[in-house]
Amino acid sequence: MALRHAVLAALLSGEFSGYELAKSFDLGVANFWHALPQQLYAELAGLEKDGLVTGRQVVQETRPNKRLFRVTDAGLRELERFAAPPSRPSFIRDDLLVKVQAVDRVGAGPVIDQLEERAAAAAAKIDLLGRMLLRMRGAATEEEFLLGGEPVGPYLTCLRGLAFEEGHRDWCLRTAGVLRNREALRATR
């Protein structure tokens, strides 16, 4: 997947400035795609040049002017083209896993600390995602929202992000506990 498809998908929710799009990526889209603000601005320019988004200037009196972007019909067709073929399987690429893999030779202390830091970061993200899900569905129960709420796509990707963060937190805590117990056993021998 290219960044352009993630940007187009994010813009389906409405008209956004580059700044608002970057905030959207930080909160919601980061569940499945990470991008730096400067990458987003460059991608918006390219999408506009290719006719996949259109931008309009908004004059503001007390702030600098801003450009708002929205998906064009050509952008929708590009997303349809992108959505049609099967997706490739996902994979994990994480330096912390390399450190855990090598823990028998490099010492567990720093790795345990990093696992606990990651677990705490995942817990904070879990809280944020839970609040986002509540805000998206309003007064509806999750089952009600999943049956008829709109838009369901961002809700489903948020659910995936939540499941990922919960699994990541649990694995980090369990792995830190295993390594800590093994260190304690070694110390008593």
Side-chain angles (χ1 to χ4, degrees):
M1 173 171 83
L3 176 58
R4 69 182 9 218
H5 298 113
V7 170
L8 287 169
L11 287 173
L12 290 175
S13 298
E15 208 173 32
F16 292 101
S17 68
Y19 174 78
E20 292 164 336
L21 185 65
K23 296 296 263 184
S24 171
F25 261 70
D26 281 348
L27 296 175
V29 180
N31 293 321
F32 56 89
W33 195 269
H34 173 75
L36 298 171
Q38 57 267 34
Q39 292 172 304
L40 294 173
Y41 290 115
E43 193 62 48
L44 281 170
L47 288 167
E48 187 172 29
K49 180 177 161 266
D50 294 342
L52 302 177
V53 302
T54 185
R56 67 180 178 92
Q57 189 81 4
V58 175
V59 177
Q60 303 183 109
E61 291 184 24
T62 60
R63 294 178 168 172
N65 294 344
K66 66 180 178 179
R67 287 187 54 77
L68 295 178
F69 297 91
R70 66 174 175 79
V71 177
T72 63
D73 289 341
L76 286 174
R77 286 191 300 277
E78 173 60 20
L79 276 174
E80 288 170 353
R81 186 201 61 74
F82 168 74
S87 295
R88 293 180 294 199
S90 58
F91 60 91
I92 299 173
R93 186 173 166 180
D94 187 341
D95 63 339
L96 184 56
L97 289 172
V98 175
K99 295 173 183 184
V100 171
Q101 176 77 19
V103 76
D104 295 304
R105 300 287 187 162
V106 300
V111 176
I112 291 169
D113 292 343
Q114 292 173 55
L115 287 161
E116 289 172 342
E117 288 171 12
R118 284 275 190 97
K125 189 88 182 265
I126 289 165
D127 180 60
L128 175 66
L129 292 169
R131 287 186 276 125
M132 286 175 61
L133 288 166
L134 283 171
R135 187 171 54 249
M136 280 190 256
R137 73 174 178 260
T141 66
E142 185 160 274
E143 294 76 23
E144 291 168 343
F145 187 84
L146 291 173
L147 283 173
E150 294 292 334
V152 74
Y155 193 87
L156 292 170
T157 58
C158 195
L159 279 178
R160 175 61 184 114
L162 179 64
F164 172 81
E165 294 297 341
E166 288 172 339
H168 190 59
R169 175 204 57 203
D170 295 348
W171 178 83
C172 286
L173 291 174
R174 180 177 186 204
T175 302
V178 166
L179 295 176
R180 184 172 278 107
N181 290 341
R182 291 174 64 94
E183 290 288 296
L185 277 174
R186 279 194 197 114
T188 63
R189 291 183 186 166

